Amino acid sequence: MKIDELDVRIVELFSEDAGIGVLAASRLLGVARATVQSRLDKLRAAGVVQGMAPTLNPANFGYPVMAIVSIEIVQGMGHVPVGTALREIPEIVEMYTVSGDHDVMVRVVARSNDDLQRVLDSVSSASAVNRTRSVVVLQTHFQNRVLPLFAHVGGAAERNAE
């Protein structure tokens, strides 16, 4: 899919304020409302934009501790049973199957270090989990940083057109 500078500007606007609305965005961008709407529709249909949901920060509603946990699963079980079991733990906010020494990586949040221990015990008790290793995140420098990449792609399209 071709992404241009207008697509980038639209996505940036809605990323900064998901509730801005198409009409307000069109006024700020100096383009027709229908143009903004059709661009958003095109980006959604292509799966580039997957929603306009609010971004939640667990630290701001009582979960300031974060850890990255690597999980080795029981051989022969596959990743589906571990995914099913871990989905039941609400403090697990991301899960990835990975290559390398471990089979799964998860990002977990907790209310405190003691609460983190409880969450890790829940992870370890899943029948498909053989072993875990965890590291506590001390500071988040950035996360979910996709907008600069999207802007780069949109800018590259403009440069290639010249």
Side-chain angles (χ1 to χ4, degrees):
M1 141 160 228
K2 282 192 135 188
I3 297 167
D4 65 17
E5 187 62 33
L6 181 57
D7 293 325
V8 172
R9 290 174 51 214
I10 290 169
V11 171
E12 286 173 340
L13 268 178
F14 281 91
S15 295
E16 291 167 8
D17 180 6
I20 190 172
V22 174
L23 181 59
S26 70
R27 288 179 179 155
L28 284 170
L29 295 168
V31 297
R33 179 200 170 288
T35 300
V36 173
Q37 187 64 61
S38 68
R39 295 293 186 105
L40 281 173
D41 291 345
K42 175 186 76 166
L43 292 166
R44 283 185 182 125
V48 173
V49 171
Q50 296 185 336
M52 298 290 198
T55 302
L56 301 173
N57 184 341
N60 291 337
F61 58 89
Y63 291 82
V65 176
M66 185 185 336
I68 308 298
V69 182
S70 56
I71 301 170
E72 179 184 297
I73 62 176
V74 174
Q75 297 305 300
M77 290 199 76
H79 69 279
V80 174
V82 75
T84 301
L86 297 181
R87 188 179 308 278
E88 299 301 315
I89 303 170
E91 294 87 355
I92 297 177
V93 295
E94 294 178 6
M95 176 183 161
Y96 306 94
T97 54
V98 297
S99 62
D101 292 337
H102 299 94
D103 303 303
V104 173
M105 300 289 284
V106 296
R107 183 169 67 97
V108 304
V109 295
R111 294 184 180 277
S112 64
N113 285 344
D114 288 340
D115 190 44
L116 177 60
Q117 183 63 62
R118 177 193 60 79
V119 174
L120 294 174
D121 289 345
S122 295
V123 171
S124 295
S125 70
S127 63
V129 173
N130 189 45
R131 179 185 181 120
T132 66
R133 291 190 177 139
S134 59
V135 293
V136 174
V137 175
L138 299 176
Q139 186 175 24
T140 301
H141 296 274
F142 56 83
Q143 63 186 34
N144 301 325
R145 187 178 172 260
V146 182
L147 194 54
L149 178 62
F150 184 72
H152 175 75
V153 170
E158 293 293 313
R159 286 189 300 277
N160 289 340
E162 295 174 355

